[in-house]
Amino acid sequence: MKTGYFLCAASLSVLLVTAVAPASAADDKLEQLKEQGFARIAIANEPPFTAVGADGKVSGAAPDVARAIFEKLGVKEVVASISEYGAMIPGLQAGRHDAITAGLFMKPERCNAVAYSEPILCDAEAFALKKGNPLKLTSYKDIADNPDAKIGAPGGGTEEKLALEAGVPRDRVIVVPDGQSGIKMLQDGRIDVYSLPVLSIHDLMAKANDPNLETVAPVVNAPVYCDGAAFRKQDVALRDAFDVELKKLKESGEFAKIIEPYGFSAKAAMSTSREKLCAAAK
């Protein structure tokens, strides 16, 4: 499997300084990336969606799909920077990334802010909790209804939003920087539940191998979401070119070969569309 490389903040700053000047039209963006030789992608380091190894190599279902498509578009490599979900779209809009490929699920407000590709990865929500689920938490509403329950979630992510929408007070929604921190906070009793997509929770729980923890999945009354690669609104031509190759990838069976080893369903992604997922944004 080919891999890209994670750029530290200092390296990314150098890239930003040395990158070619912005194109005069959206149609020129792909040519700019070809000349540049790489596309800058935002990721979250949340396996199996995205992952960065100790050696800095980038993998995960979302970067692997992006890498395959950009290669077909004539862009030889992708380079990645880790970002909190809440900072990804501002970073994209500010020109710090060329695309977001991080399990950034399509939501109305996001569809209004970025140009999404067609769906790539779909997943439901899960909880990691103490063994026996002592507070009997199976939904975000259960957390809201229990004044003692605290939930950990990624800042600016889907889980934080779902908790707040369910009525969990802000002071009981604890922003967690990464998955390993979330599990550690749960083990230490600083939170009562940690929430992420099903596949991410399963990956963390397998690595933790802690008999004192268990999983609730899927979360009751929580929606199933799909992500897509996200581009700036002015880069619709690049998004459209990406979609052409994504469609070919799906039809050839190569798409399934990339994402299904990570546990994702190609059929799920192919059963819906950007139009359906973003319909509420119109």
Side-chain angles (χ1 to χ4, degrees):
M1 181 183 296
K2 290 188 68 178
T3 53
Y5 292 87
F6 166 62
L7 294 178
C8 67
S11 300
L12 187 58
S13 297
V14 172
L15 277 175
L16 290 173
V17 171
T18 58
V20 297
S24 58
D27 289 351
D28 296 330
K29 181 66 175 181
L30 179 54
E31 291 306 314
Q32 175 190 336
L33 296 183
K34 288 179 181 178
E35 292 176 12
Q36 185 170 276
F38 58 85
R40 300 164 303 168
I41 59 173
I43 65 170
N45 197 17
E46 183 187 318
F49 291 87
T50 59
V52 180
D55 58 359
K57 292 183 178 179
V58 175
S59 63
D64 285 358
V65 170
R67 183 180 297 109
I69 292 175
F70 276 117
E71 282 185 352
K72 293 177 185 299
L73 291 172
V75 182
K76 296 180 180 179
E77 189 55 275
V78 295
V79 292
S81 58
I82 294 175
S83 174
E84 276 196 355
Y85 283 103
M88 287 179 182
I89 291 177
L92 178 71
Q93 293 170 330
R96 292 192 290 274
H97 320 299
D98 299 308
I100 300 169
T101 60
L104 191 70
F105 293 143
M106 295 186 202
K107 299 291 190 63
E109 65 275 14
R110 292 174 179 169
C111 292
N112 287 329
V114 302
Y116 270 112
S117 71
E118 288 295 330
I120 296 177
L121 306 176
C122 300
D123 202 2
E125 297 294 336
F127 288 163
L129 319 97
K130 289 292 181 67
K131 185 72 174 179
N133 191 3
L135 298 183
K136 307 304 178 189
L137 306 174
T138 61
S139 69
Y140 291 100
K141 186 177 184 303
D142 288 343
I143 300 169
D145 291 345
N146 187 325
D148 296 323
K150 292 183 179 180
I151 180 173
T158 296
E159 295 75 23
E160 180 186 38
K161 187 171 186 293
L162 288 171
L164 293 171
E165 288 178 345
V168 183
R170 175 72 265 182
D171 64 350
R172 291 202 280 117
V173 181
I174 312 302
V175 172
V176 176
D178 55 63
Q180 291 74 22
S181 299
I183 294 298
K184 183 65 166 57
M185 291 172 71
L186 180 61
Q187 290 169 326
D188 292 346
R190 295 166 61 193
I191 56 177
D192 300 290
V193 55
Y194 182 47
S195 183
L196 282 176
V198 173
L199 291 171
S200 299
I201 287 291
H202 284 170
D203 179 81
L204 287 169
M205 294 289 271
K207 290 174 179 174
N209 192 28
D210 186 342
N212 296 311
L213 301 180
E214 69 177 49
T215 301
V216 168
V219 173
V220 175
N221 295 327
V224 174
Y225 291 113
C226 297
D227 81 340
F231 301 87
R232 295 186 304 165
K233 285 289 191 178
Q234 57 265 49
D235 292 336
V236 171
L238 174 61
R239 187 278 310 273
D240 290 346
F242 188 97
D243 269 347
V244 168
E245 295 303 328
L246 175 59
K247 182 179 180 181
K248 292 178 183 177
L249 215 63
K250 289 177 176 178
E251 291 174 345
S252 71
E254 188 177 349
F255 177 71
K257 290 179 181 178
I258 294 173
I259 71 167
E260 291 188 346
Y262 288 105
F264 293 99
S265 166
K267 184 177 180 180
M270 296 166 69
S271 69
T272 187
S273 68
R274 174 180 59 245
E275 182 179 7
K276 290 178 182 177
L277 294 166
C278 288
K282 297 178 180 178

